[in-house]
Amino acid sequence: MVKPIQQAAVIGSGVMGAAIAAHLAGAGISCLLLDIVPTQLTEDEKKAGLTLEHPKVRSKLAVTAIEKLKKTKPAPLYSEAFATRITPGNLEDDLHKLSKVDWIIEVVVERLDVKRQLLQRIEQVWTPGTIVSSNTSGISINEMVEPCGDAFKRHFLGTHFFNPPRYMKLLEVIPGQTTDPEIVKYMTLFGEKSLGKGVVSAKDTPNFIANRIGTYGLLVTLREMLEKGYTVEEIDAVTGPAMGRPKSATFRTLDLVGLDTFVHVAGNVYDNTTDESEKAIFDAPTVLRRMVELGWIGEKQGQGFYKKVKTATGKEIQALKLDTMEYALSQKVKGASLEAAKSAKGAAAKIKALLGTGDRYSELAWNVLKPVLLYAANKLGEIADSIVEIDNAMKWGFNWDLGPFELWDAIGLVKSAQRMEAEGDVLPDWVTSWIAAGHTSFYVREAGSSAFYYECALTAVETRPEHISLRALKEQNRIILSNSGANLIDIGDDVACLEFSSPNNAIGGDILTMIQKSAEEVRNNYRGLVIANEGKHFCVGANLMLLLMEAQDGEWDEVDSIIRLFQNSMMALKRLPKPVVAAPHQMTLGGGVEACMPADKVIFSAETYYGLVEVGVGLIPAGGGCKEVALRTSRLVSNPEVDLQPFMNGYFETIGMAKVSTSGHDTKRLGYMAPQDSVVINSDHRIYEAKMAVLDMDRAGYTAPVEERIRVVGEQGKAVMQLGAYTMRQSGFISEHDQLIANKLAHVLAGGNVPANSYVSEQYMLDLEREAFLSLTGEPKTQQRMQHILTTGKPLRN
């Protein structure tokens, strides 16, 4: 029986160690953060009369690291308050405290001798049963604990987080030769469920899976560039989204990682492989070493393959010309294959279009892709036992849309294998045998199976109950209702899921119509409703283009009709006599928030950026958002003797300044999280957890909420809020139009021109919203704001 992890310790408070501690704190795990005792005093410490023995000095590395976590961007902490879950200390005074924790993670310098010495010290205070792991990016797990005892070795393994830990999904779990299999199994499940990671099992080989293949691919690309004379910009144009990879592509990625770090990682394979051909690839090119010598190591030093340069008109991005080692203005790259890829939908179609055009950039794409596919196939069995582990490692660790074997399937396994052989390449024996047996792909879908992918070893890819895939369910014909903007999908156990599917999941008439139809369908035939989707973002708000077009044409009846439809659709969800649970993720803005507010419960993904942002386009929330925050305030302050004003002022500021949460947890700070709401750290589990919540409410005997009367601050409270807006206008913080919007918002939130502490109906509040929204839609400056954000993606201050 493996001891559950409730407390952890991280050894090493550098950037990575502190960020891992922050992620553990975000997962609800209290954490001890230890580092060495400093050997020198700073000038400020000397002036303060401190000595090296003073407690403030001895643990200052960890203390400083925790403080930095609160200021770092992007934020390592889901909420700044979670920093209190991290306790600073040092390895001299606090080493004994390791005996009380359940998991110890080593995150010190990447040197085998240092890690060995530290692990031997840990073993001296180690409590049997405590899991110990290393966050090494490639040093041998077995060699690290070679001097340690057998019991310690059984509890030791690698847990390689990718940076930054909060945002990067991949966690490589690397067992040693004697690691207890139960501990490996436990850490895999713990990493997925408690830490929200995509976990892959790697073998104890140099750089494990993702860095092994990713580094190889980057080096192959760099060599192709040097041999064929491509520019930095051309390489990045081909190896970015056109190839199903991030916008940072090759050289922006290297600048972000740091060229010094990359050379070190490449050297780890070079030093530890006996394959001479592989050694040649991992021997970093001279130009790379030269850049490191010059200090041109990337963003942390202000220049690498790219650098930002101030000009008389602002800033410009310059790219390095490797033939002259000089920088010049970065040039846009155009080509038929790139245009074809851009027009294609989906990663598989993009890469096929890129390779199929036959121009110079198609050739480049093939020449950098082919060796990576062959290398991944050759390393199967050495770095991982499954193609699934390799594919997932590259998707989760390098943000590829498709892993190497998925990509190979996408371009056509047989056809591309024939091309490789025609060009003199040798396929791995297992690939040749696989094709000879009549297989045309590595992955084969088995109809009707919940585990519908099978890999080349004929081993079913495990499909866990927590992983509900809407895409898979749609492929199994589980769609109940559908239109151009949304689908209602049967997700099992008589629960339906409403999925938005419009561009950017913007809410228009099609989605609103589907909400009303879905409510009726669920009312008659299902136990409850989940609102969730698998888009890049949950919902970016209402369809602004539609609203702007109607406003510019003066079709006010149409605008009024759209708002009424929105409000009626939200009320249909709220009055549904079956439980409704929303599961938002990523950007959830404006109308997306209003689509969640009627739900009985909201299960936020940890990475949810949630806010009513309508003022940014010159409007106010009118799909029930203002009504719902007024209702929440009224509920919160149920005692009629208690003043509502301070609470309403908070919402006025939050909505008026278009504040957006920095995480699912942060919605509580903004007042958007209700007591029954929760956060799930693994976004892949959102729909499952929402479904379970629906079933729990149904089993408990769900009854639809009755309409409540809303206590409002009234005309007097409106004056208080409007005075705040006036003061900001007089101080120059907001424009005249901002003040107009703020005044409209205050009027609605206050409940209009009624006495303080009046009770009003929900429909009354909705009418106020609609009237204010309509009037603002007719303002020329609001229309300018709407046009500007649709054209540029950026808000306009006018």
Side-chain angles (χ1 to χ4, degrees):
M1 186 84 179
V2 179
K3 183 169 63 170
I5 295 173
Q6 295 176 319
Q7 294 183 313
V10 175
I11 316 297
S13 65
V15 172
M16 195 65 184
I20 290 173
H23 189 65
L24 298 183
I29 300 163
S30 59
C31 187
L32 185 63
L33 181 62
L34 305 183
D35 212 316
I36 60 173
V37 175
T39 58
Q40 291 184 326
L41 293 170
T42 65
E43 288 303 316
D44 287 341
E45 289 166 343
K46 290 176 184 177
K47 289 177 183 177
L50 300 178
T51 69
L52 290 173
E53 298 307 311
H54 196 285
K56 284 187 177 179
V57 175
R58 293 179 70 79
S59 297
K60 75 171 181 181
L61 293 180
V63 170
T64 302
I66 294 169
E67 287 304 309
K68 283 183 179 178
L69 289 174
K70 301 173 187 178
K71 303 171 185 175
T72 302
K73 301 294 180 186
L77 292 158
Y78 291 124
S79 168
E80 191 175 306
F82 292 169
T84 59
R85 297 174 181 171
I86 309 172
T87 303
N90 67 75
L91 285 167
E92 303 301 327
D93 304 325
D94 303 300
L95 190 69
H96 66 282
K97 295 179 181 178
L98 299 182
S99 64
K100 303 296 185 183
V101 304
D102 309 308
W103 179 20
I104 302 167
I105 314 167
E106 169 275 305
V107 197
V108 299
V109 64
E110 286 286 87
R111 278 179 46 188
L112 178 59
D113 59 335
V114 175
K115 292 180 184 292
R116 273 186 175 174
Q117 290 169 15
L118 175 60
L119 291 170
Q120 287 175 285
R121 289 186 66 191
I122 292 172
E123 188 178 18
Q124 293 172 8
V125 297
W126 174 73
T127 300
T130 299
I131 297 169
V132 185
S133 70
S134 171
N135 184 63
T136 179
S137 59
I139 294 176
S140 171
I141 301 301
N142 293 305
E143 289 183 23
M144 274 189 230
V145 285
E146 192 176 300
C148 299
D150 290 343
F152 190 82
K153 289 177 180 177
R154 285 195 296 273
H155 290 79
F156 183 74
L157 72 165
T159 51
H160 180 213
F161 291 81
F162 274 60
N163 191 32
R166 170 181 163 180
Y167 301 96
M168 293 300 292
K169 186 173 181 177
L170 180 62
L171 174 64
E172 292 177 319
V173 169
I174 311 103
Q177 291 173 349
T178 57
T179 307
D180 185 339
E182 285 301 310
I183 287 177
V184 178
K185 182 179 179 181
Y186 175 82
M187 289 303 293
T188 299
L189 293 173
F190 177 81
E192 179 182 328
K193 188 165 181 64
S194 298
L195 301 182
K197 295 298 176 185
V199 183
V200 300
S201 180
K203 296 198 172 187
D204 188 19
T205 56
N207 292 1
F208 312 129
I209 301 175
N211 278 342
R212 184 73 170 267
I213 293 174
T215 304
Y216 177 88
L218 287 166
L219 287 167
V220 162
T221 302
L222 183 55
R223 281 184 163 76
E224 181 71 10
M225 172 189 183
L226 294 171
E227 290 176 10
K228 303 289 178 62
Y230 291 102
T231 66
V232 165
E233 300 97 315
E234 286 177 319
I235 294 292
D236 276 357
V238 171
T239 59
M243 201 178 274
R245 297 180 186 175
K247 290 181 180 178
S248 57
T250 297
F251 294 115
R252 290 189 190 278
T253 296
L254 280 171
D255 280 355
L256 288 167
V257 169
L259 274 64
D260 52 340
T261 301
F262 179 77
V263 169
H264 171 77
V265 171
N268 193 46
V269 178
Y270 179 86
D271 293 338
N272 290 282
T273 183
T274 56
D275 184 331
E276 290 303 319
S277 62
E278 189 172 30
K279 243 186 190 340
I281 289 291
F282 281 91
D283 185 9
T286 303
V287 66
L288 215 54
R289 297 183 186 277
R290 175 62 178 151
M291 289 175 70
V292 172
E293 290 172 5
L294 291 168
W296 299 356
I297 57 175
E299 288 211 351
K300 56 189 174 184
Q301 289 298 326
Q303 67 183 103
F305 285 99
Y306 293 95
K307 72 172 179 179
K308 289 181 182 177
V309 178
K310 289 184 179 180
T311 66
T313 56
K315 291 182 180 179
E316 69 179 27
I317 304 296
Q318 295 185 352
L320 183 64
K321 307 301 176 185
L322 294 188
D323 54 346
T324 64
M325 294 299 283
E326 295 176 348
Y327 290 91
L329 181 64
S330 180
Q331 302 296 314
K332 287 194 174 182
V333 179
K334 294 183 179 180
S337 59
L338 294 172
E339 289 302 313
K342 188 176 181 180
S343 300
K345 301 296 182 184
K350 286 181 181 296
I351 189 65
K352 286 179 73 174
L354 181 63
L355 293 174
T357 309
D359 66 3
R360 184 168 181 258
Y361 298 130
S362 286
E363 180 186 357
L364 170 60
W366 173 254
N367 287 343
V368 300
L369 178 62
K370 176 179 68 171
V372 173
L373 301 183
L374 290 171
Y375 186 73
N378 274 308
K379 292 302 167 186
L380 181 64
E382 179 184 335
I383 62 175
D385 285 328
S386 161
I387 67 168
V388 179
E389 306 287 350
I390 293 175
D391 277 349
N392 284 340
M394 298 315 299
K395 289 188 291 183
W396 297 337
F398 277 73
N399 292 321
W400 290 10
D401 291 333
L402 300 171
F405 297 97
E406 291 173 322
L407 208 157
W408 209 338
D409 278 357
I411 65 174
L413 170 60
V414 176
K415 183 178 179 181
S416 59
Q418 290 171 345
R419 179 176 175 182
M420 290 173 186
E421 289 180 318
E423 292 174 355
D425 297 291
V426 179
L427 298 173
D429 290 342
W430 73 266
V431 175
T432 303
S433 300
W434 182 250
I435 294 173
H439 298 288
T440 57
S441 62
F442 292 116
Y443 290 92
V444 182
R445 184 162 307 176
E446 187 168 279
S449 171
S450 59
F452 58 91
Y453 280 114
Y454 282 74
E455 57 138 321
C456 58
L458 294 181
T459 303
V461 176
E462 184 180 7
T463 301
R464 298 159 53 126
E466 296 90 347
H467 294 182
I468 294 178
S469 167
L470 298 181
R471 176 185 174 188
L473 291 170
K474 286 187 288 187
E475 289 170 347
Q476 294 170 20
N477 297 316
R478 300 280 285 275
I479 295 177
I480 305 162
L481 299 170
S482 181
N483 68 15
S484 59
N487 302 297
L488 186 67
I489 303 165
D490 183 346
I491 58 174
D493 298 308
D494 295 323
V495 178
C497 179
L498 176 62
E499 173 201 44
F500 301 163
S501 58
S502 66
N504 295 316
N505 290 336
I507 297 177
D510 45 7
I511 288 180
L512 296 174
T513 300
M514 183 56 67
I515 287 173
Q516 298 202 9
K517 288 183 178 179
S518 296
E520 187 64 24
E521 179 70 21
V522 171
R523 177 194 302 271
N524 295 328
N525 299 308
Y526 289 85
R527 296 168 70 181
L529 177 68
V530 169
I531 305 174
N533 62 68
E534 294 169 333
K536 183 178 180 181
H537 301 293
F538 177 79
C539 177
V540 297
N543 186 332
L544 268 185
M545 178 63 77
L546 175 63
L547 281 169
L548 179 60
M549 288 172 61
E550 299 292 2
Q552 288 177 334
D553 291 342
E555 298 288 348
W556 305 117
D557 287 345
E558 280 299 316
V559 176
D560 182 74
S561 177
I562 292 169
I563 305 167
R564 286 179 187 274
L565 178 60
F566 202 128
Q567 292 180 342
N568 292 340
S569 300
M570 299 306 107
M571 291 303 291
L573 290 174
K574 186 162 188 175
R575 297 286 176 252
L576 186 65
K578 301 289 179 73
V580 178
V581 178
H585 68 286
Q586 294 292 322
M587 301 301 291
T588 305
L589 305 174
V593 172
E594 291 176 306
C596 295
M597 283 181 154
D600 299 288
K601 180 173 184 174
V602 179
I603 296 179
F604 297 97
S605 168
E607 298 302 338
T608 305
Y609 316 117
Y610 193 87
L612 293 167
V613 296
E614 286 84 350
V615 296
V617 290
L619 299 168
I620 67 160
C626 294
K627 178 261 294 182
E628 284 295 319
V629 299
L631 178 56
R632 290 184 183 198
T633 304
S634 180
R635 284 176 185 160
L636 183 67
V637 193
S638 56
N639 184 343
E641 299 301 317
V642 177
D643 187 10
L644 289 172
Q645 193 69 52
F647 301 93
M648 187 50 71
N649 289 347
Y651 276 121
F652 177 64
E653 180 181 321
T654 295
I655 299 172
M657 297 183 70
K659 292 183 180 180
V660 177
S661 72
T662 58
S663 69
H665 299 86
D666 192 49
T667 56
K668 185 175 183 179
R669 177 181 63 86
L670 297 180
Y672 290 132
M673 179 183 284
Q676 71 272 20
D677 296 342
S678 61
V679 179
V680 60
I681 196 167
N682 191 323
S683 189
D684 292 342
H685 295 185
R686 281 179 305 113
I687 299 173
Y688 170 82
E689 294 294 345
K691 175 183 170 182
M692 292 301 104
V694 165
L695 293 174
D696 286 345
M697 283 188 272
D698 177 66
R699 282 191 289 266
Y702 178 82
T703 56
V706 296
E707 182 172 353
E708 300 173 65
R709 301 287 286 179
I710 303 171
R711 182 162 72 102
V712 295
V713 296
E715 193 168 18
Q716 184 178 341
K718 177 175 76 169
V720 171
M721 290 184 276
Q722 290 183 339
L723 177 61
Y726 172 81
T727 302
M728 291 190 73
R729 172 74 183 113
Q730 293 303 304
S731 302
F733 291 113
I734 62 175
S735 69
E736 183 180 355
H737 192 55
D738 290 328
Q739 186 181 357
L740 172 66
I741 299 163
N743 287 341
K744 297 278 186 182
L745 177 62
H747 178 76
V748 176
L749 290 176
N753 298 321
V754 298
N757 295 314
S758 295
Y759 284 83
V760 300
S761 69
E762 291 189 54
Q763 187 56 55
Y764 169 82
M765 292 294 291
L766 291 173
D767 291 343
L768 289 180
E769 284 186 0
R770 192 176 65 257
E771 290 164 6
F773 190 95
L774 269 169
S775 66
L776 285 170
T777 306
E779 292 286 338
K781 287 186 177 180
T782 285
Q783 293 181 19
Q784 290 168 14
R785 290 189 180 193
M786 294 167 72
Q787 182 70 59
H788 191 270
I789 204 161
L790 285 168
T791 305
T792 68
K794 298 177 181 178
L796 172 67
R797 292 296 303 276
N798 60 349

